[in-house]
Amino acid sequence: MDLLDFSDCKLYFEDPLPAAAEALIAEASREYGSPGAELALLRAHLLAPDNLTVLVGIYRYYFYQHRLEDALQVAELAMQLSGRQLGLPADWALLDERRLAAAAAASFGLLRFYLLALKAASVVLLRLGRIADSRPRLIKLAGLDSRDQLGAAKLLEVVDEFRSPEASTASDDPAFNLAIA
């Protein structure tokens, strides 16, 4: 399946968003960098807890504020919500081509969102130095994306290069953390 083909699929940001939640996201954008931005995003989440646009906004806020543990929680919540809508197992490790095909038939755009949320969680784990937690996710993604359209295999190559015996301990190497940023 072509994970870059967006024709004939609905994307997460096309889901309707309550006007009040949309206004709060706009407020968060204007207030970015102040405590009011996070509050506006969290209020939007209270109004639309299952809306993926809101979750993406919160994830990006935490990620760019370097609040990586919070960003990881949001990425995992996004996976739970989209996975539940797609009928995917709660455990990403149980993903296989059969389940992916069924999910793609239900909503290709939502499946792509799910896979990108899994990749986002992997990247955050790398940034946190939790390589052993990230690698299995990247391996799973690379195995499911034979053409590496999501870039998980390339990222895994970089991770493994830094984990090679000749390289220093990756989680202690500042260059490694910059390489995956």
Side-chain angles (χ1 to χ4, degrees):
M1 98 182 54
D2 184 354
L3 294 173
L4 295 179
D5 181 7
F6 294 108
S7 60
D8 300 329
C9 73
K10 183 179 172 196
L11 302 175
Y12 76 90
F13 52 81
E14 295 174 326
D15 284 340
L17 185 61
E22 192 169 343
L24 287 165
I25 290 174
E27 178 184 330
S29 178
R30 288 189 305 275
E31 299 287 324
Y32 187 79
S34 76
E38 179 180 11
L39 182 59
L41 288 168
L42 294 176
R43 288 176 54 210
H45 182 61
L46 287 174
L47 292 173
D50 293 340
N51 189 285
L52 298 177
T53 299
V54 174
L55 286 179
V56 168
I58 296 169
Y59 170 83
R60 288 179 178 168
Y61 177 82
Y62 288 147
F63 186 83
Y64 293 117
Q65 291 292 313
H66 305 283
R67 292 177 52 186
L68 299 177
E69 290 289 347
D70 293 327
L72 179 60
Q73 287 181 359
V74 176
E76 290 174 347
L77 177 58
M79 286 172 50
Q80 289 171 10
L81 288 174
S82 56
R84 189 169 46 240
Q85 290 176 31
L86 291 166
L88 294 174
D91 182 358
W92 58 265
L94 298 175
L95 287 177
D96 57 26
E97 289 185 16
R98 181 184 56 79
R99 288 184 169 113
L100 231 55
S107 175
F108 181 76
L110 190 57
L111 173 60
R112 189 172 189 286
F113 178 90
Y114 175 91
L115 295 172
L116 287 172
L118 179 56
K119 182 182 176 189
S122 301
V123 168
V124 171
L125 287 166
L126 289 172
R127 298 276 311 267
L128 289 167
R130 293 172 50 190
I131 298 163
D133 293 330
S134 178
R135 279 190 86 255
R137 288 165 174 81
L138 292 172
I139 290 168
K140 175 61 77 173
L141 278 170
L144 295 170
D145 181 12
S146 62
R147 292 192 276 174
D148 197 30
Q149 293 176 318
L150 299 178
K154 273 290 187 221
L155 188 54
L156 188 57
E157 282 179 29
V158 171
V159 169
D160 287 345
E161 181 179 316
F162 278 93
R163 288 178 49 98
S164 70
E166 307 86 49
S168 62
T169 305
S171 61
D172 297 331
D173 185 353
F176 176 77
N177 291 324
L178 290 175
I180 61 171

